[in-house]
Amino acid sequence: MTLEQNWNRIRETVSRAGHCAIASIDEHGAPTIAPIGTVFLRDDTTGFYFDQYAQALGRNLDRDPRVCLMAVDGRPLYWFRSLLTARFPSPPGVRLYGTAGPARPATEDEMRQVRARVRIPVRLKGGALLWSDFSQVRDITFTDYRPVRYPHMMSHLWQ
């Protein structure tokens, strides 16, 4: 199945993961990866993330916009149940491939989405320091995907 045909399942998988990792290529041609907790996927095989702290990622993308985003469901209860039943109830993870655009000011709708995601932790001292100053985003256009696969426990997933 194509990226478009699986997009809803991909969006659900990324949403459950919470935090993602975005891989890029540094100035020496070496792969590097950055954890990003503010990735949002749209309806149309695109997404965006808030480009606040990952300065090295931004520099890499300005030079080479290719990315691989990986999202894995890390909830302990999800894994416990899956291991107990020997079956994943939903995809455990996905890799998305695409290109990132230049940094730009976030729209009001994008700001609303990130405020909704951090509404509880931003009330804490550390949360306020980390998540109260978002303003820039980068769009990502995805062109392909690969499920995170574990043999035997997920033959019923990803056609």
Side-chain angles (χ1 to χ4, degrees), residues 85-105:
T85 63
R87 182 178 172 98
F88 287 108
S90 58
V94 65
R95 292 176 202 88
L96 292 167
Y97 301 90
T99 56
R104 62 167 177 78

Side-chain angles (χ1 to χ4, degrees), residues 90-132:
S90 58
V94 65
R95 292 176 202 88
L96 292 167
Y97 301 90
T99 56
R104 62 167 177 78
T107 66
E108 184 52 42
D109 184 56
E110 292 162 344
M111 293 300 297
R112 180 190 51 74
Q113 289 180 66
V114 77
R115 283 191 300 263
R117 180 168 294 173
V118 301
R119 71 182 176 279
I120 294 172
V122 79
R123 294 178 183 157
L124 305 172
K125 185 178 180 181
L129 290 171
L130 289 176
W131 296 307
S132 62

Side-chain angles (χ1 to χ4, degrees), residues 20-146:
C20 298
I22 299 179
S24 63
I25 305 297
D26 73 12
E27 68 273 10
H28 305 292
T32 186
I33 195 159
I36 304 291
T38 56
V39 172
F40 299 87
L41 299 185
R42 300 183 186 105
D43 293 334
D44 62 355
T45 70
T46 68
F48 65 94
Y49 77 93
F50 280 83
D51 192 24
Q52 187 68 22
Y53 296 112
Q55 287 86 13
L57 175 61
R59 285 190 303 273
N60 292 345
L61 296 178
D62 287 339
R63 191 180 48 265
D64 183 342
R66 294 176 296 165
V67 297
C68 177
L69 180 145
M70 187 169 80
V72 175
D73 191 331
R75 298 172 299 161
L77 188 56
Y78 170 85
W79 282 90
F80 178 75
R81 286 180 180 162
S82 298
L83 294 172
L84 185 65
T85 63
R87 182 178 172 98
F88 287 108
S90 58
V94 65
R95 292 176 202 88
L96 292 167
Y97 301 90
T99 56
R104 62 167 177 78
T107 66
E108 184 52 42
D109 184 56
E110 292 162 344
M111 293 300 297
R112 180 190 51 74
Q113 289 180 66
V114 77
R115 283 191 300 263
R117 180 168 294 173
V118 301
R119 71 182 176 279
I120 294 172
V122 79
R123 294 178 183 157
L124 305 172
K125 185 178 180 181
L129 290 171
L130 289 176
W131 296 307
S132 62
D133 191 29
F134 287 128
S135 61
Q136 298 284 306
V137 297
R138 283 185 188 258
D139 293 301
I140 305 174
T141 300
F142 297 105
T143 56
D144 203 2
Y145 79 102
R146 279 195 344 216

